[in-house]
Amino acid sequence: MRRRVRTAFTTVTALVIVGVLLFPLYWMVNASLQPATGLLETPPRWFPAGGTLDGYRQALASQGRPLLNSIVIAAGTVALTLALSVPAAYALSRFRMRGTGVLLFALLLVQMVPGIVMANSLYAVMNRTGLLSTYPALILADSTVAVPFAVLILRAFMVTIPAELGEAAMVDGAGHGRVLWSVVLPVSRNAMITAALFAFLFSWADFLFAVTLNSDEAVMPVTVGIYRFIGAHTADWNAVMATGVIASIPAAVLLVVAQRYVAAGVTGGALKD
């Protein structure tokens, strides 16, 4: 009886969570398919009867370049995040160094720094180095958020990998670089996918760094593009909602595809024999 009650409670809870998450998405898709006049009707339309794709045509015509910019920036952020966090996490998990605990605590504190403080500081740095309004500026800025998180995730997972695996490889003549590449990385696949996914999402959803460090429309990501698009098309809400739907597709696809890897990567460092 208790098992049935527990199962029923879990099912209801899951349905409520899914409903809460999907309800706004449904209304966004519904609004994007309705004509502009249909959004002003009372009561509102529950289904896009007599729908139109004009909003999507207008969104693609104006937001195609920002979407491509966001993909470039997000891909660069993922590459830089993994390039920096993987060796750092390996060193923190395998070498006994003074100050390791202080460094891990500092990484946690970095996550608590307000974004506006970091944006102002990065603006001064990028201005002096001449990187303002460039892809590297936005990639470096987004990496300041993604790298500490990725180091913590990867380090927690690598700690659980038996040290005997690396020691056996070293007996055969492998160095730490070879051990990391051939032994640790294949075992840490789930954690790396998790770190890469969150780095992508951090960069894809960034607005503060994008609007602070960039003033060139050629480098403008989709978050700023939507913001400016709303300001210029306050009457065309179907086009605005269509832009939101299009911008949500890459993140939604990645979340669905990488769901099982993320679950394993997040919980992989929770237990240790």
Side-chain angles (χ1 to χ4, degrees):
M1 183 63 181
R2 291 183 178 178
R3 181 177 298 177
R4 291 181 180 178
V5 172
R6 190 183 302 113
T7 302
F9 179 78
T10 303
T11 303
V12 171
T13 303
L15 290 175
V16 170
I17 294 175
V18 171
V20 170
L21 293 176
L22 292 182
F23 187 72
L25 179 60
Y26 167 76
W27 275 109
M28 186 167 63
V29 175
N30 181 33
S32 68
L33 294 173
Q34 293 187 25
T37 57
L39 299 175
L40 304 177
E41 295 180 359
T42 303
R45 299 183 184 182
W46 285 88
F47 301 98
T52 176
L53 295 177
D54 290 341
Y56 286 91
R57 297 189 187 97
Q58 191 174 355
L60 288 174
S62 61
Q63 298 300 313
R65 180 59 185 268
L67 281 168
L68 180 61
N69 290 337
S70 288
I71 292 175
V72 172
I73 295 169
T77 301
V78 170
L80 181 59
T81 297
L82 293 180
L84 295 177
S85 60
V86 168
Y90 176 76
L92 291 173
S93 64
R94 285 292 177 263
F95 303 144
R96 294 185 177 180
M97 301 176 293
R98 286 186 176 182
T100 299
V102 176
L103 179 57
L104 293 175
F105 183 68
L107 292 176
L108 287 173
L109 287 181
V110 169
Q111 307 290 311
M112 303 171 61
V113 177
I116 188 63
V117 175
M118 297 182 64
N120 289 335
S121 302
L122 288 172
Y123 180 87
V125 174
M126 300 301 175
N127 188 31
R128 288 189 176 184
T129 56
L131 292 177
L132 283 178
S133 300
T134 62
Y135 288 125
L138 298 180
I139 292 173
L140 289 171
D142 292 334
S143 297
T144 60
V145 178
V147 169
F149 180 83
V151 170
L152 294 174
I153 288 289
L154 291 170
R155 189 256 177 192
F157 189 91
M158 290 180 182
V159 166
T160 65
I161 300 176
E164 290 78 6
L165 293 177
E167 293 172 357
M170 288 183 176
V171 170
D172 293 334
H176 284 291
R178 183 69 176 179
V179 171
L180 174 61
W181 181 260
S182 301
V183 178
V184 177
L185 290 187
V187 180
S188 306
R189 181 188 63 176
N190 292 335
M192 289 184 60
I193 292 176
T194 302
L197 178 62
F198 277 96
F200 182 92
L201 294 178
F202 289 154
S203 176
W204 189 263
D206 171 61
F207 176 80
L208 183 60
F209 291 148
V211 78
T212 304
L213 303 178
N214 176 55
S215 59
D216 188 354
E217 291 188 0
V219 191
M220 180 176 63
V222 70
T223 49
V224 180
I226 293 176
Y227 173 73
R228 295 181 179 177
F229 187 80
I230 293 175
H233 300 81
T234 53
D236 300 329
W237 281 104
N238 57 343
V240 172
M241 293 300 164
T243 305
V245 172
I246 295 173
S248 303
I249 290 175
V253 171
L254 284 177
L255 285 172
V256 172
V257 172
Q259 179 182 5
R260 61 191 183 98
Y261 299 105
V262 172
V266 171
T267 60
L271 298 175
K272 182 178 179 181
D273 295 334

